[in-house]
Amino acid sequence: MKDWIIWENGFHIENISQNGNKFLVGNGYLGIRGTLPEYEKSEFPAINLAGIYDQVGVAWREPLNAPNGLYTYIEFNNKPYRLPGDLPLNHRMALDYRHGILYRDTVWDSGDGKIKVKSERFASLEEKHLIAMKYSICSDVDGEVRIHTGIDGDVWDINGPHYDELILSDSDQLIQAVGITHKNKDKVGVCEAYDASFSSQKQIITLGRKILRVLSFHAKAGVNYDFYKYISVYTSKDCLNYIDNAIELVKKAKEEGYETIIESHIAEWETKWSISEVIIDGDDSAMEALNYSIYHLHCIAPRHTDSLSIAARGLSGQMYKGAVFWDTEMFMLDFFLFTEPTVAKTLLKYRIDTLEGAKRKAQSYGYQGAFYAWESQEGGYDACSDYNVIDVFTKRPMRTYFKDKQIHISSAIVYGIMRYVNYTGNLDLLADGGIEVIIECARFYYDLLLKKVDKDRYELNDVIGPDEYHERVNNNAYTNRMAKYTFECAAHVIKMYRHMNKDLDDKLSAQYNMTVLLERFEDAALKLYIPQPEDTSKIIRQFDGYEQLEDVSLKELKGRLLDEKEYWGGAYGLASHTKIIKQADVVTMLNIFSGEYSDEILLKNWEYYEPRTEHGSSLSACMYAMLACKCNMPDKAYPLFIKSASTDLVQKGKQWAGLIYIGGTHPASSGGAYMTAVEGFAGICLEDGKLKAYPNLPRHWNSMIFKIIYRGDIYKIEVTKKLAKISNLGKYKA
Ligand code: IFM
């Protein structure tokens, strides 16, 4: 059994930005990048906030980073010791990913002796607005120590600065920073309290955008000097009295003391693991990578609200504009459905609450219904720009059509809602706006249908499928099948609710002509063209004309790269005129609808598309891994599963799309790893409303044990190579 610790031994300056992601701690309200307390904005520290955005000028709108209340560095005999400038004798970082605690341990040589600095910190999982840090200094010679600790308001931003005004103040031994945002004048309040068991001379100073305590004392050789910081973050979007709440919270934390609050934090993590831990017998590294992925999903789960979703890069920073993509419903949702359905509901409620934004987007293109934002921010605003990539050669923005043409996004929302209904058995979300979402998504697709009179069928033309390299194609198999699914679901819920719930029926009937809608959706589901496997090869074309593209190998295509950061898609992209695709597309469809295809078709398409897939998105490998399990090839699935589960551990994924930085954590990949383990290797699925497991473990795995929540009960699943035991452990209490 591994020890639940991820280490970095030695100081490697080149790892600073990646470690920010790898050693992240978070609690869904905020994420703290795995940087060191002394880091300034050139090292990308960030306390990234969920669901609050700002825009400066015409730059991309992005989520806020709070003023950094962890900021701390030391001086010994008037000389500062801080990374990355002052190289240490020894340095290591460790993340306890069972409990979300980050440790650092650094030793410098002062010439006269050694100076040791240790710190540990966490974002409380129990009290989402609270961060706490313990910091210790020890030297092996006597000397004068000066600690600089406080709040650094000069935060790292990609498209900032966002705080037009920063009010720094102190009162009653607390220090505070309030940042006022550029566009909406939202306020972000940070309050810090300090506590130490040793005495020092204290002074509070402001230095540019920092407010600092300067603590001076004479240190005795060999003595540990420990102090604690309690930091609270509230915004004016959380509550009116955000600063009073911030003050109250740090006062309370200081009174309770570090040991008490870390204990409740740890207990909260243990509660999460009591349901979500996955035990794998026979493969400690896979078990570590998988549970580390699960750790990241816990760190970003919105538990402080009942309506919020998760950004594509979680809470690791402002990459991808902090926006919500289809990643949530198609890749992360299952983890929450299976382990914490209330979080799943919160994620979907966000989509219900942003329906108006989706309707506005559809309208802006001249369509009815709901066209969800490709990159969704507050209120469903689509942050995706028309020019989402910068060309490395001309340095000019390139016109991309992700926002306009990835219409499959709306079907992902429908898919998520229906999965929630099926796995929880609760109709609450449907009654609470879910039905309208499904109907509006179906209306959108209906309006887009192109009737081919000669063939008596409908088509969907000019779209982009999950493989974003081929833009504006006709009849993308995935998109068409998901649109058909949307029509089927819409028809199903209309029939289901018509006579079941009188109030709802009245409400819906006042809004829509349900008889006409039902007829239309049933007709559309029947006649929408779904590309079929070719007679002999059994290959399903990804879109019309795909078969005519150049069939080049991935290796050869890579050899044609003129610049390692060049963009492969779009009008002139390297891959655009070839069969090389960015990520699972047909394979995603086959995975979702595997029951509709023969084993031969599943296998032939897997074998055809896998070598033609760059896996240029972290969303790709897990889809191939899951389909490989369905094709009885767990050993082929295994490396793809490891790739997904290790994305944030090894940090080797793509960091650039053209000249745009896209690094960060990869929650969709983490969710995909979970799905592969639970639904792929353990083979969990629903059959006639019953939970079933059809295990397909990799050769070297002996067994898997985990729990999932299904229809309000907790089930323990134990699978060996070919046997599955599902035991009901009783009611789940949220
Ligand atoms: O949603 C994905 C998309 O499928 C590929 N590019 C990155 C996005 C965010 O993860």
Side-chain angles (χ1 to χ4, degrees), residues 275 334-341 418-426 674 678 684-692 706-717 726-733:
I275 303 279
D334 280 13
F335 168 72
F336 295 112
L337 264 183
F338 289 4
T339 63
E340 208 173 343
M418 292 312 291
R419 251 177 123 65
Y420 174 86
V421 172
N422 290 335
Y423 272 90
T424 62
N426 292 340
Y674 177 84
V678 166
I684 288 291
C685 61
L686 290 186
E687 253 176 33
D688 303 325
K690 288 231 158 53
L691 204 56
K692 293 276 164 139
F706 55 92
K707 294 184 190 126
I708 70 173
I709 297 158
Y710 175 61
R711 303 212 162 194
D713 286 342
I714 306 179
Y715 290 85
K716 181 173 182 190
I717 321 284
I726 303 184
S727 331
N728 187 328
L729 303 184
K731 282 268 158 273
Y732 165 71
K733 284 194 207 79

Side-chain angles (χ1 to χ4, degrees), residues 670-685:
S670 301
Y674 177 84
M675 286 199 288
T676 306
V678 166
E679 296 167 53
F681 295 136
I684 288 291
C685 61

Side-chain angles (χ1 to χ4, degrees), residues 232-290:
S232 56
V233 184
Y234 274 93
T235 76
S236 52
K237 288 196 76 187
D238 299 325
C239 50
L240 281 178
N241 45 352
Y242 59 98
I243 203 67
D244 296 341
N245 285 354
I247 291 172
E248 279 318 303
L249 183 57
V250 290
K251 279 189 181 164
K252 185 168 156 261
K254 188 172 163 178
E255 246 170 62
E256 285 176 358
Y258 188 82
E259 295 309 325
T260 307
I261 60 174
I262 200 171
E263 229 172 76
S264 346
H265 166 77
I266 289 175
E268 199 62 32
W269 270 103
E270 285 299 328
T271 309
K272 300 294 169 226
W273 288 116
S274 70
I275 303 279
S276 60
E277 179 178 358
V278 179
I279 296 170
I280 299 169
D281 179 21
D283 193 341
D284 280 359
S285 334
M287 180 160 71
E288 174 172 273
L290 177 59

